[in-house]
Short mmCIF file of all heavy atoms in Angstrom, two decimals:
data_model
loop_
_atom_site.label_atom_id
_atom_site.label_comp_id
_atom_site.label_asym_id
_atom_site.label_seq_id
_atom_site.Cartn_x
_atom_site.Cartn_y
_atom_site.Cartn_z
N HIS A 17 34.84 23.15 31.07
CA HIS A 17 33.45 22.75 31.23
C HIS A 17 32.58 23.38 30.13
O HIS A 17 31.72 22.71 29.54
CB HIS A 17 32.94 23.17 32.62
CG HIS A 17 31.50 22.85 32.82
ND1 HIS A 17 31.03 21.56 32.93
CD2 HIS A 17 30.39 23.64 32.90
CE1 HIS A 17 29.72 21.57 33.08
NE2 HIS A 17 29.30 22.84 33.08
N ARG A 30 24.02 18.45 15.38
CA ARG A 30 24.38 17.72 14.15
C ARG A 30 23.53 16.47 13.98
O ARG A 30 23.04 16.19 12.88
CB ARG A 30 25.86 17.35 14.19
CG ARG A 30 26.77 18.49 13.87
CD ARG A 30 28.21 17.99 13.67
NE ARG A 30 29.10 19.12 13.53
CZ ARG A 30 30.02 19.47 14.42
NH1 ARG A 30 30.20 18.76 15.51
NH2 ARG A 30 30.78 20.53 14.22
N MET A 45 12.79 11.37 -2.08
CA MET A 45 12.99 10.22 -2.97
C MET A 45 11.68 9.50 -3.23
O MET A 45 11.43 9.05 -4.34
CB MET A 45 14.04 9.27 -2.36
CG MET A 45 15.44 9.86 -2.33
SD MET A 45 16.03 10.39 -3.95
CE MET A 45 16.27 8.81 -4.73
N GLU A 51 6.71 10.44 -8.95
CA GLU A 51 6.69 11.26 -10.16
C GLU A 51 7.27 10.48 -11.34
O GLU A 51 6.76 10.56 -12.46
CB GLU A 51 7.48 12.55 -9.94
CG GLU A 51 6.79 13.52 -9.01
CD GLU A 51 7.65 14.72 -8.66
OE1 GLU A 51 8.85 14.72 -8.98
OE2 GLU A 51 7.11 15.66 -8.06
N SER A 61 1.35 5.14 -22.00
CA SER A 61 0.04 5.41 -22.58
C SER A 61 0.19 6.08 -23.94
O SER A 61 -0.48 5.71 -24.91
CB SER A 61 -0.77 6.31 -21.64
OG SER A 61 -1.98 6.69 -22.25
N GLU A 68 -1.22 2.13 -31.68
CA GLU A 68 -2.57 1.90 -32.20
C GLU A 68 -2.80 2.70 -33.47
O GLU A 68 -3.40 2.21 -34.43
CB GLU A 68 -3.62 2.24 -31.14
CG GLU A 68 -3.72 1.24 -30.02
CD GLU A 68 -4.05 -0.16 -30.50
OE1 GLU A 68 -4.94 -0.31 -31.36
OE2 GLU A 68 -3.40 -1.11 -30.01
#
Side-chain angles (χ1 to χ4, degrees):
H17 177 70
R30 282 191 188 112
M45 292 304 289
E51 289 173 350
S61 174
E68 286 301 316

